[in-house]
Amino acid sequence: MMNQSLSLPNNEENPTAPSGHRLLSRGRHLTLLIEKQAVIRNTWLLILLSVACIATLGIGTMPISPKDVIAVLFGHGNPMSQFIVQDLRLPRLLAALFTGAAFSLAGCLMQTMARNRLATPGIIGIDNAAMAFAVSSVVGMGVSLAPSAMALAGAATATALAFGLAGGSGTRGYRFIVAGIGIGAIAGAVTQLLLSQVSIDVANSAYPWTVGSLSARDPMMVKVLGIGLGICLVACLFLASQFALMPFSDQVITGLGANIKHIRITALVLCITLTGLAVAVAGPVGLVALVGPEIARVLARYRGIPLISSALTGALVMILADLFGRTVLSPIELPVGIVTAVIGGPYLIWILIRRTSRTSL
């Protein structure tokens, strides 16, 4: 629940915490600085997320009261409620929770590296490339051949290509973003080409990866995503002090004694892992990576890098979007990717208009 942790040097015998922070120390060589407001903010986000989870488990064609939902989660309740909650709705909820957090955390890392709020995995083509590789594993063999591994390979390939095409600018500036947009467009075209060359049954089996869906996800893939997300979250907590340096210039970072190359490579590896695993589960629901971090920044009043807050807000956005898609036209179901596109599309246009107006001034 920490927003940012900083490892402090122990060259002082009695270090004191700055205002608004709390200093935790264990032994002589481990010191942790915690922002109190971040703890409060993330606690409230956890409460909202818990309420959204209970609502998602209870709302549907057969409504279940919050009391009965909680009882089922603790192993009680009637058999019908247990079947609906545990077998039907809970796996979908976990898929929404993990994918939303993974997409949003990856977006926050990518935006921080590029110093650009538009530089999300979806915008620079990582989502579409991961989708193309995952779809190829289904379309090429007729069966699902390790789509999670293929999605990771696609995300890594897109990132490498974007770096190569951006030249010396690396992850900085619009050159990297434009290169990523081109890669994403090509990957999307390849996906459509693959789907057009196979039978309708095979195309239908790969369809969820093209629009973003949480219906009938593979439980094993959801577990793999959950494990990967947990590892990445722990890594972000331990590396938060290094990631906090990325918005500064390379000269400042080097002057502070940090290795900017290692920081960026670590952040990219985390971003690729999160995006690839999330796409393997839900498909390219990329706009969550744009909306989630921005909400977290607003809540944090644009102070620091809200990594944990981004993960929580992304999970909340994905769960609410899936709930809306399930219920608004019931019994017809809207894929979560369509719902997030409807929500995130106007927001993306608004950001572009604001940036254009500021540039013109």
Side-chain angles (χ1 to χ4, degrees):
M1 287 168 34
M2 294 179 294
N3 181 49
Q4 185 175 355
S5 62
L6 296 174
S7 298
L8 301 179
N10 287 308
N11 52 5
E12 297 183 10
E13 294 184 0
N14 297 308
T16 58
S19 176
H21 294 74
R22 183 177 180 182
L23 190 65
L24 299 178
S25 60
R26 186 180 181 85
R28 296 176 56 86
H29 303 288
L30 180 60
T31 306
L32 200 62
L33 188 63
I34 301 175
E35 184 185 353
K36 296 179 181 179
Q37 288 297 323
V39 174
I40 297 174
R41 179 172 61 252
N42 292 335
T43 300
W44 279 108
L45 285 174
L46 277 174
I47 293 174
L48 291 175
L49 188 59
S50 300
V51 172
C53 290
I54 294 175
T56 298
L57 293 175
I59 296 175
T61 305
M62 181 174 289
I64 301 175
S65 66
K67 181 179 179 181
D68 292 338
V69 169
I70 296 174
V72 170
L73 293 177
F74 282 94
H76 306 291
N78 60 72
M80 179 59 69
S81 296
Q82 291 184 359
F83 172 74
I84 293 174
V85 172
Q86 295 182 353
D87 296 340
L88 299 182
R89 296 177 183 172
L90 184 58
R92 182 166 182 156
L93 172 65
L94 292 177
L97 180 69
F98 294 155
T99 54
F103 276 127
S104 189
L105 181 56
C108 185
L109 289 171
M110 183 62 68
Q111 291 169 358
T112 302
M113 281 189 298
R115 299 179 189 166
N116 193 315
R117 289 159 60 189
L118 298 180
T120 63
I123 298 298
I124 66 170
I126 297 179
D127 282 10
N128 282 345
M131 174 190 67
F133 275 63
V135 168
S136 68
S137 72
V138 179
V139 172
M141 302 297 296
V143 294
S144 180
L145 178 62
S148 57
M150 293 294 289
L152 282 173
T157 302
T159 305
L161 288 174
F163 261 102
L165 294 175
S169 61
T171 59
R172 306 294 181 175
Y174 284 97
R175 188 173 180 179
F176 179 72
I177 296 177
V178 172
I181 291 174
I183 293 169
I186 295 173
V190 170
T191 300
Q192 298 303 320
L193 177 63
L194 289 173
L195 293 176
S196 67
Q197 301 300 314
V198 296
S199 65
I200 187 65
D201 292 334
V202 176
N204 284 335
S205 65
Y207 176 74
W209 275 283
T210 65
V211 295
S213 175
L214 296 172
S215 178
R217 298 295 85 201
D218 186 354
M220 180 57 64
M221 293 172 61
V222 175
K223 289 181 181 179
V224 172
L225 172 58
I227 295 172
L229 176 62
I231 294 173
C232 291
L233 281 172
V234 173
C236 285
L237 284 176
F238 280 100
L239 298 172
S241 59
Q242 298 185 40
F243 292 158
L245 300 175
M246 286 193 293
F248 298 103
S249 65
D250 293 358
Q251 293 80 3
V252 172
I253 298 174
T254 304
L256 292 173
N259 190 321
I260 183 59
K261 183 178 180 180
H262 290 171
I263 295 174
R264 288 177 183 164
I265 291 176
T266 302
L268 272 176
V269 169
L270 292 175
C271 185
I272 291 171
T273 302
L274 291 167
T275 304
L277 291 176
V279 170
V281 172
V285 194
L287 286 176
V288 175
L290 179 69
V291 177
E294 187 62 25
I295 296 175
R297 289 191 185 93
V298 171
L299 295 176
R301 299 178 182 179
Y302 296 94
R303 294 182 302 181
I305 304 175
L307 295 173
I308 305 303
S309 297
S310 294
L312 294 175
T313 53
L316 183 61
V317 168
M318 183 72 86
I319 289 173
L320 294 179
D322 183 54
L323 177 61
F324 182 84
R326 282 198 302 111
T327 58
V328 65
L329 295 178
S330 181
I332 300 175
E333 224 178 70
L334 292 177
V336 68
I338 296 177
V339 177
T340 55
V342 171
I343 296 173
Y347 177 74
L348 177 59
I349 295 174
W350 177 70
I351 289 182
L352 290 172
I353 292 174
R354 285 190 61 187
R355 282 186 170 271
T356 303
S357 61
R358 288 180 180 179
T359 302
S360 62
L361 293 176

